[in-house]
Amino acid sequence: MLKNTLYIIQHIEQTNNSIEALIALNSAHEIFMGHFPVRAVLPGACMLQIIKELLEEAFHSKLRLIKADEIKFLRIIEPEANTVISFFIDFEQVEESVFNVNAKILKAGVVCYKMKASYKHVNI
């Protein structure tokens, strides 16, 4: 949905129960014209969607967010100043098709966003 338009994956690596990714934001994307015209900021909903898309990329499976226990927006991400951002995602399977996720987004080594959530594999 947002991949290859709002952002491009520069690097993604999956180990046992974690994913590390670097993405490059497209500061010219139309979403930034409305959020916000004078000072563009990456919307929180986009952060949530990017995490979902990175998980789908790693699992080669469509996912659905089923529960978000904690979402913390700690710092803004400005696409002009922070073109490359890092994602650190830990996951643990808790049921056959359900897993819990702890995710962080960092810009220049500073945590901007934290999330604890549960996702479910979706059969399409």
Side-chain angles (χ1 to χ4, degrees):
M1 186 168 129
L2 299 176
K3 181 181 166 190
N4 298 327
T5 59
L6 178 64
Y7 70 94
I8 295 171
I9 298 173
Q10 290 189 325
H11 175 79
I12 187 166
E13 183 177 333
Q14 180 179 351
T15 57
N16 292 333
N17 290 336
S18 67
I19 299 165
E20 291 185 20
L22 282 176
I23 69 159
L25 292 173
N26 173 8
S27 61
H29 192 278
E30 65 186 351
I31 202 161
F32 296 120
M33 291 178 211
H35 198 274
F36 297 97
V38 177
R39 184 178 183 197
V41 175
L42 183 64
C46 292
M47 294 180 206
L48 187 63
Q49 180 66 25
I50 293 169
I51 289 171
K52 178 179 174 272
E53 291 180 16
L54 291 171
L55 286 163
E56 289 175 338
E57 179 89 12
F59 292 146
H60 307 289
S61 173
K62 289 292 182 190
L63 302 173
R64 180 177 58 219
L65 177 67
I66 57 173
K67 181 170 71 169
D69 292 325
E70 185 178 303
I71 297 177
K72 293 184 179 182
F73 301 97
L74 304 170
R75 302 227 185 327
I76 61 171
I77 297 175
E78 299 170 289
E80 293 291 334
N82 311 110
T83 56
V84 176
I85 54 179
S86 305
F87 288 75
F88 295 92
I89 305 169
D90 295 321
F91 56 89
E92 174 185 25
Q93 187 168 349
V94 292
E95 293 178 29
E96 185 177 330
S97 63
V98 176
F99 55 97
N100 292 336
V101 169
N102 287 318
K104 293 180 190 174
I105 301 174
L106 289 81
K107 64 176 182 183
V110 177
V111 177
C112 302
Y113 174 93
K114 291 182 181 180
M115 178 185 81
K116 291 183 181 180
S118 297
Y119 289 87
K120 183 174 185 167
H121 293 277
V122 177
N123 296 327
I124 296 177

